[in-house]
Amino acid sequence: MRLPFRLSAITTRFFALMLAMIATLFVSFYWYSVPLIEEKVVEIEHNASRIALNNIYELATRMHLDAEGYRQQALESQKQRLESVVSLTGDFIASLQDILGQQGYTEAELWPMIFQQLRHFRADQDTYLWIADYDYRLLSHPTDAFDGRDAAQLRDSDGRLIVPNLVELAINEGEGFYPYRWPKLGQSRELEKYSYVRHFPQWGIVIGSGVYLDEIEQQIENQKLKALDELRRAFEQITIANNGYLFVFDPQANMLIHPNPNIDGHNFAQLNNPVSGRPIVDDLIAVSDSGTEAIYRWDSPEDPGNYVYDKLSLVRHIPGFDWYISSSVYVDDLRSSAELLSTRIMVIAALALILASLMALIFADWITEPIRRLSRTAAKVSRGQLNAKSGIRRSDELGLLAESFDSMVDQLSGNIQTLDERVQKRTAQLQSSNQELLRAFDDLQATRDELEILERRQRMILDALPAQIAYIDTKQRFVFANRGYAQMFGLEKQKVVGERVETVLGTSMYEEVRPHIEQALAGHSRNYEHRAERNGEPLITRRMLLPFYDIRGGVSGILNLSIDITKEKQTEARLAEANRMHAVGQMSGGIAHDFNNLLTIILGNLLELQEKLEQPALADRHLAPAVRATRRGADITRRLLAFARRQPLAPQRLPCKQLLAELQLLLSPSLPDSIELEISLAANTPAVDVDPGRFEDALVNLVLNSRYAMTDGGKLLLRVATRHIEPASANELNFDETPAAGAYVSFSVIDQGGGFADEALIRGFEPFFTTKQTGAGSGLGLSMVYGFVKQSLGYIRLANHGAGAEVEILLPAVEVGSEPLALPTHPAHSESAGTAAPEAAVPAGHDKGLILLVEDNQDLRSLIRDQLIELGMLVVEAANGDEALNLLGSIDNLYGVVTDLMLPGSAQGIDVALAASRVQPQALQVLMTGYSEALDDPRLEDRPLLLKPFDKTCLQQALAQAQQRLRSYSGSDNIEH
């Protein structure tokens, strides 16, 4: 190696002397200190292994003591909880016995109720109550297999009697804890259980509740696992020599903690010690807590699989966990630390020698540095670096030479710098001119780009607008058309531009709009609607033609703006139809109300005449048809009320599968062999809130209409499925009204008849509209279905499906457990005259009882008065509610009140009934109505209700119901019945 400078003789001799001194010091230190240091380091490493093992042993012992304390604490806590559960159960039975006893329940009635309620009690998932009598019968148990069972011979898997031992323990000692084996709820495997039982001699029963010990043991096992995790984290912080470590195993040779993932968690019983020839686990257990170390051979991380390296292990045993904790260290590792320390000492000495050598070199370099620096500065100046300086500041000859050299370089640098400044000034002027030209070019290009972007953006906006936009010049040629305008005529935008208006629109449409175009070209704005067809569907557009003026004020073209308003027009038509149907419904409801009063009078008088006429043959010939006609009129009023959405409903949460099963049994016998009924129910169809009887009538009505239309037979399909209505498509579904967005259940009746006529599709829901032959139908079937669907918050539509007709009903879908829909409901009522009522006895023991009759119709009031008199009653009459309220306060011991719900004046029928409950609590109450909107009053409660028209038999039945209701309230504190 050639140095960048030459060493003098004195520098060479001084450098050699220092090297000799450093080498002598290094050798002396090594032979005297290193052997002693190695011996002490081996001893320190050995003691560190013992200290680490003892510290971990103490930590594990404390963990075991904590786990045992937790076990006792958990068991004591469970015992206290079980005592509290059984004690509270006794208090609950006593309080419930008092409450039910006050309500009139006998001992035989109340105990099954108590046992049934206690079956469902849970303190937690697996803690429940059981009750047994002295005969070892389980009176209450949450498992059906044991509830009510004779458990005298019930034994566990060890053959021990269970219930008899528990009962005898409680009888003899009063209370106590007892362990036994019993399966968990819903399982068959028996587990250890610890139960608390108490004897209740006042009731002759034993009550018990228990806890499964596997839960406590699982908690203890979790504590052990937690202890292992803490030990594992502690092991990660402990280092023994280079490759030493701590590990934990159990007597079955399961390795619980080991840093080697190939051994951790595995069984090492098959690993033998090459030194002793026995399993390593036996050697480790043999030296546990002896203070001696097990010596065996193992492979090393650097030489896996070669079991020739000696290891030393100390072992401590933890009796509580039954674990063995062992430290393991390679013998070579104990020496390696000392050897490593020796090596480091040698390295330090070598570095010191090298450092001394460097210091000698630095000294020689300092002597020759000025000459070398001046030489390097001259080389830089020769390469053009005129600002280079030698940087030498000395007071000797070398300093003077360096100062003269630096002055000469400064003078040369000043001359060159003046020339450079002149060249740079001229160059800057040229660059400034070039920059101005480039900026002007960039501004021009940016303006062009902005104009192009603006044009593209405007065209994109015009194409995205939901309107058809076009610009026409004075020669009636298209200058511009957006995408919507071109697509309306099935063309591309590029093919529209440049064409004449007549060519694009067609001759027929052009002739229709030409007058508007000509007036717009004359300077007059035009706004009109245009009707056409597209793909066989009606198309209605609102068109605006706006004249466009040039700078001189003349018309240079027309701006056409067209908007598709077909959906809006269809929605307006459906809304108008819905309003018309609502108005018809209001009128029908009012007519039905008045008609019910008339029918009640007619029917009552006809039946009265029929009973008193002495010529039965004449009565059958003349009066029986009149009675049947009257009942037929009652049925028509019921259908009118259904159409008017005023029929009483009793909604229930109805699974569709149950409804269809009952409907199939009802419909199958009524259809001819030529018609095949197919009922399709989609999977996971939700339930609906609907009156099952009324809904069944509606579906039967639709199916029978389809049967009438299917003269040649075929397949009749009733399809039920979930349907989700989206807001964007709700307007296009053609239901009677636009459905609200959400989930529905769709009921579709699809036949293979002739389909609906055009008039039927429009007027099908109107009352008395029918396409059947004269006398074949009343025309109220679809009207009744329509009213029921609207009253049930649903939607309906008529359509032609293929070669037949389709009627689809949408009802709101409901989930299990959700709140019921707000449908109109009604209390229980007596059958009207429209259907035959069962015979009811005259209320016994109340002949000549005084009845207050409240009815504003004089003829009807006279008829009902006569019927009450024939039933053995005395009658006092009131024409309105106010009069009835005055009579209630002046009559003593009133037997009953029969009142119409809708009365003139400020007081209605329900007000009379409520006042009677307060003033005359012993009086029975019967309500009458022919107007079903009155049924929405929640104050009706369970009072008997007569729907007009009715006959004497219905009145008699209502009086019997009222008397039964009055009896049910006897003995109760509730006065307002």
Side-chain angles (χ1 to χ4, degrees):
M1 177 180 178
R2 183 178 180 181
L3 296 174
F5 55 86
R6 296 180 62 185
L7 296 178
S8 64
I10 190 171
T11 302
T12 303
R13 287 194 295 269
F14 181 76
F15 180 61
L17 179 61
M18 290 193 66
L19 286 180
M21 292 175 61
I22 293 172
T24 301
L25 180 63
F26 172 77
V27 172
S28 300
F29 178 79
Y30 179 81
W31 288 110
Y32 179 79
S33 301
V34 169
L36 179 61
I37 291 173
E38 288 182 349
E39 181 181 352
K40 292 298 181 181
V41 169
V42 170
E43 183 179 351
I44 292 171
E45 291 286 357
H46 204 178
N47 290 335
S49 174
R50 292 177 179 272
I51 294 172
L53 178 62
N54 290 334
N55 289 338
I56 293 299
Y57 175 79
E58 293 297 330
L59 176 61
T61 302
R62 288 197 300 272
M63 291 179 179
H64 170 255
L65 294 177
D66 292 343
E68 285 301 314
Y70 179 81
R71 181 199 301 272
Q72 296 301 325
Q73 182 181 3
L75 185 59
E76 187 63 29
S77 175
Q78 292 292 346
K79 290 171 64 175
Q80 294 177 3
R81 187 170 69 93
L82 294 177
E83 290 179 353
S84 299
V85 169
V86 174
S87 177
L88 290 174
T89 302
D91 296 340
F92 172 74
I93 292 176
S95 62
L96 192 60
Q97 192 177 28
D98 293 341
I99 294 172
L100 296 178
Q102 293 176 5
Q103 295 180 1
Y105 288 94
T106 64
E107 289 288 327
E109 293 174 335
L110 64 86
W111 278 108
M113 298 170 62
I114 295 173
F115 293 152
Q116 184 63 26
Q117 289 198 31
L118 292 178
R119 282 191 67 194
H120 303 289
F121 172 79
R122 298 287 188 279
D124 56 35
Q125 181 177 2
D126 296 317
T127 302
Y128 55 85
L129 291 167
W130 57 267
I131 303 176
D133 59 13
Y134 295 160
D135 296 328
Y136 316 133
R137 179 176 297 279
L138 291 174
L139 303 176
S140 176
H141 195 280
T143 303
D144 294 338
F146 296 123
D147 187 56
R149 175 180 173 181
D150 184 0
Q153 298 301 322
L154 188 62
R155 301 174 184 269
D156 61 13
S157 58
D158 297 331
R160 297 178 298 178
L161 292 172
I162 302 176
V163 176
N165 290 339
L166 295 173
V167 172
E168 294 301 327
L169 172 68
I171 294 175
N172 295 333
E173 300 181 9
E175 60 181 358
F177 292 89
Y178 185 80
Y180 58 97
R181 297 181 63 82
W182 192 269
K184 288 186 177 182
L185 296 178
Q187 300 181 9
S188 59
R189 184 169 65 90
E190 293 183 352
L191 299 173
E192 289 294 334
K193 190 173 185 180
Y194 197 65
S195 283
Y196 172 71
V197 294
R198 180 186 290 182
H199 180 213
F200 291 86
Q202 66 270 33
W203 301 319
I205 60 175
V206 172
I207 301 178
S209 181
V211 61
Y212 290 94
L213 296 182
D214 68 319
E215 298 175 359
I216 299 178
E217 293 303 324
Q218 182 61 42
Q219 294 174 0
I220 299 302
E221 188 63 26
N222 292 338
Q223 291 291 323
K224 287 185 177 181
L225 295 177
K226 182 179 178 181
L228 284 175
D229 289 339
E230 292 183 5
L231 289 177
R232 190 183 299 275
R233 289 192 294 271
F235 287 2
E236 292 174 356
Q237 306 299 322
I238 296 175
T239 302
I240 303 175
N242 290 335
N243 297 309
Y245 50 84
L246 297 173
F247 61 91
V248 181
F249 63 93
D250 62 15
Q252 290 77 35
N254 294 312
M255 188 64 70
L256 303 179
I257 302 177
H258 196 281
N260 188 345
N262 295 325
I263 301 175
D264 187 25
H266 295 77
N267 189 284
F268 66 105
Q270 302 302 320
L271 295 178
N272 292 330
N273 183 1
V275 177
S276 64
R278 299 191 306 160
I280 293 177
V281 66
D282 294 341
D283 290 346
L284 294 174
I285 293 176
V287 300
S288 63
D289 296 325
S290 65
T292 60
E293 296 174 319
I295 303 175
Y296 58 98
R297 290 178 180 171
W298 203 255
D299 63 342
S300 73
E302 296 79 12
D303 190 13
N306 188 13
Y307 293 87
V308 296
Y309 300 94
D310 291 335
K311 296 194 75 173
L312 299 177
S313 287
L314 285 170
V315 183
R316 298 294 303 271
H317 180 231
I318 305 175
F321 288 146
D322 199 12
W323 293 345
Y324 292 91
I325 302 179
S326 176
S327 65
S328 179
V329 61
Y330 290 95
V331 175
D332 292 339
D333 281 353
L334 293 177
R335 299 191 186 97
S336 65
S337 297
E339 294 172 355
L340 178 61
L341 182 59
S342 300
T343 301
R344 289 180 177 177
I345 292 173
M346 292 182 65
V347 170
I348 292 172
L351 291 175
L353 180 61
I354 294 172
L355 181 61
S357 302
L358 289 175
M359 290 176 64
L361 289 174
I362 291 171
F363 176 76
D365 181 68
W366 181 77
I367 295 298
T368 59
E369 172 62 18
I371 302 299
R372 293 201 310 272
R373 185 182 296 179
L374 190 59
S375 176
R376 289 196 298 269
T377 302
K380 292 180 180 178
V381 171
S382 66
R383 291 194 297 270
Q385 298 182 17
L386 301 178
N387 58 346
K389 301 291 183 181
S390 65
I392 299 173
R393 297 292 182 268
R394 298 178 62 158
S395 59
D396 54 11
E397 289 78 1
L398 289 175
L400 181 59
L401 177 61
E403 183 178 356
S404 299
F405 181 81
D406 289 341
S407 176
M408 181 184 64
V409 172
D410 287 340
Q411 185 176 3
L412 178 62
S413 175
N415 295 334
I416 295 174
Q417 185 175 2
T418 300
L419 180 61
D420 287 343
E421 288 176 354
R422 293 177 180 177
V423 174
Q424 290 175 359
K425 183 177 180 180
R426 183 56 180 168
T427 303
Q429 292 175 351
L430 293 175
Q431 289 179 346
S432 176
S433 299
N434 290 336
Q435 290 295 330
E436 291 179 0
L437 291 174
L438 289 174
R439 282 196 297 270
F441 178 79
D442 291 342
D443 291 343
L444 179 61
Q445 187 63 37
T447 303
R448 291 177 180 176
D449 293 343
E450 289 178 0
L451 289 175
E452 184 177 353
I453 292 172
L454 179 60
E455 183 179 1
R456 288 204 305 267
R457 183 165 57 241
Q458 289 178 345
R459 289 181 180 275
M460 184 181 298
I461 293 172
L462 291 175
D463 286 339
L465 289 175
Q468 298 90 41
I469 303 173
Y471 183 79
I472 305 169
D473 62 14
T474 55
K475 297 181 179 180
Q476 297 192 21
R477 289 185 179 274
F478 286 98
V479 177
F480 168 80
N482 73 340
R483 183 167 50 218
Y485 191 93
Q487 288 178 350
M488 184 172 64
F489 298 100
L491 299 172
E492 298 290 336
K493 292 193 301 180
Q494 295 79 2
K495 294 185 178 181
V496 174
V497 175
E499 294 291 336
R500 289 186 56 81
V501 175
E502 184 178 2
T503 304
V504 175
L505 270 61
T507 304
S508 177
M509 182 177 179
Y510 176 72
E511 291 298 328
E512 295 178 7
V513 303
R514 186 174 65 176
H516 301 289
I517 294 175
E518 291 175 349
Q519 291 187 28
L521 289 174
H524 305 289
S525 298
R526 301 297 299 163
N527 192 337
Y528 64 96
E529 291 183 4
H530 183 267
R531 297 177 180 269
E533 285 191 2
R534 182 173 60 186
N535 300 326
E537 298 291 335
L539 175 65
I540 306 174
T541 56
R542 178 178 291 113
R543 295 173 174 268
M544 288 181 286
L545 298 180
L546 304 175
F548 190 82
Y549 299 92
D550 57 22
I551 59 176
R552 293 183 297 275
V555 177
S556 61
I558 304 171
L559 178 64
N560 176 88
L561 176 62
S562 301
I563 301 175
D564 187 352
I565 60 171
T566 305
K567 293 181 180 179
E568 287 81 352
K569 289 294 183 180
Q570 292 174 347
T571 301
E572 290 176 2
R574 285 197 296 270
L575 181 61
E577 179 65 17
N579 291 335
R580 189 174 68 86
M581 296 294 289
H582 181 71
V584 173
Q586 293 285 351
M587 181 183 68
S588 300
I591 293 173
H593 169 247
D594 295 337
F595 198 40
N596 275 333
N597 283 339
L598 297 176
L599 288 175
T600 303
I601 298 171
I602 295 172
L603 180 63
N605 285 289
L606 287 174
L607 291 176
E608 184 73 16
L609 182 61
Q610 191 177 33
E611 289 179 2
K612 296 181 179 180
L613 193 63
E614 296 179 355
Q615 298 180 18
L618 187 61
D620 290 341
R621 180 177 179 183
H622 295 288
L623 295 181
V627 171
R628 287 194 298 271
T630 305
R631 296 187 188 276
R632 175 61 176 164
D635 182 66
I636 291 175
T637 60
R638 180 179 66 84
R639 291 172 178 264
L640 284 174
L641 287 173
F643 169 72
R645 313 179 200 180
R646 296 175 182 172
Q647 62 177 338
L649 297 180
Q652 301 177 15
R653 184 142 300 175
L654 191 63
C656 296
K657 185 175 182 181
Q658 173 187 343
L659 170 67
L660 296 180
E662 297 174 356
L663 191 64
Q664 188 168 22
L665 294 175
L666 178 66
L667 290 175
S668 295
S670 63
L671 295 176
D673 295 338
S674 61
I675 296 179
E676 176 188 355
L677 176 62
E678 178 181 340
I679 297 179
S680 170
L681 175 62
N684 301 321
T685 301
V688 292
D689 283 347
V690 72
D691 186 320
R694 303 294 188 187
F695 191 36
E696 188 176 87
D697 290 344
L699 291 179
V700 168
N701 199 314
L702 296 178
V703 169
L704 294 181
N705 280 350
S706 296
R707 182 191 68 175
Y708 179 85
M710 296 171 63
T711 55
D712 297 330
K715 179 181 290 187
L716 177 57
L717 175 61
L718 174 56
R719 182 173 60 202
V720 182
T722 305
R723 184 166 184 179
H724 294 275
I725 303 299
E726 301 296 336
S729 60
N731 238 354
E732 304 172 358
L733 300 179
N734 293 324
F735 280 91
D736 62 295
E737 294 181 87
T738 301
Y744 295 86
V745 178
S746 169
F747 297 84
S748 298
V749 178
I750 305 171
D751 62 37
Q752 294 181 345
F756 289 109
D758 292 341
E759 185 181 10
L761 288 173
I762 298 174
R763 301 181 56 200
F765 299 132
E766 294 183 8
F768 305 109
F769 175 81
T770 180
T771 58
K772 298 179 181 179
Q773 298 178 358
T774 303
S778 64
L780 289 173
L782 277 179
S783 301
M784 181 188 69
V785 175
Y786 172 82
F788 166 75
V789 170
K790 303 312 294 181
Q791 198 172 0
S792 301
L793 308 182
Y795 305 92
I796 187 172
R797 71 179 180 94
L798 305 179
N800 286 324
H801 179 83
E806 176 183 3
V807 181
E808 182 179 8
I809 295 173
L810 291 184
L811 293 179
V814 293
E815 297 295 337
V816 176
S818 63
E819 292 294 328
L821 298 177
L823 303 181
T825 60
H826 67 90
H829 58 273
S830 299
E831 296 289 339
S832 68
T835 56
E839 291 295 330
V842 177
H846 292 281
D847 289 346
K848 303 303 181 181
L850 182 61
I851 296 291
L852 172 60
L853 174 61
V854 188
E855 169 60 54
D856 59 308
N857 188 299
Q858 182 177 355
D859 294 335
L860 183 55
R861 188 169 68 247
S862 299
L863 174 65
I864 299 173
R865 178 195 60 201
D866 294 342
Q867 291 175 346
L868 288 171
I869 292 173
E870 290 178 5
L871 292 175
M873 308 295 175
L874 299 176
V875 180
V876 59
E877 301 178 32
N880 54 62
D882 298 330
E883 183 181 351
L885 293 178
N886 293 331
L887 291 174
L888 282 174
S890 60
I891 300 176
D892 296 329
N893 297 324
L894 188 66
Y895 173 62
V897 176
V898 178
T899 177
D900 191 8
L901 282 177
M902 304 298 290
L903 295 171
S906 59
Q908 298 298 309
I910 186 61
D911 299 321
V912 175
L914 293 175
S917 297
R918 295 190 299 269
V919 179
Q920 303 276 0
Q922 80 288 346
L924 57 83
Q925 300 175 13
V926 175
L927 306 178
M928 306 177 295
T929 186
Y931 197 54
S932 297
E933 279 188 351
L935 302 179
D936 295 336
D937 195 333
R939 298 178 295 172
L940 297 181
E941 298 178 347
D942 61 343
R943 292 175 172 84
L945 180 63
L946 276 171
L947 296 181
K948 300 176 183 179
F950 58 85
D951 53 19
K952 184 174 67 178
T953 303
C954 295
L955 178 61
Q956 182 182 11
Q957 180 189 24
L959 291 172
Q961 292 175 355
Q963 189 179 51
Q964 180 62 34
R965 174 179 178 272
L966 197 60
R967 289 196 192 101
S968 68
Y969 280 95
S970 62
S972 172
D973 293 334
N974 184 6
I975 297 177
E976 289 203 9
H977 55 278

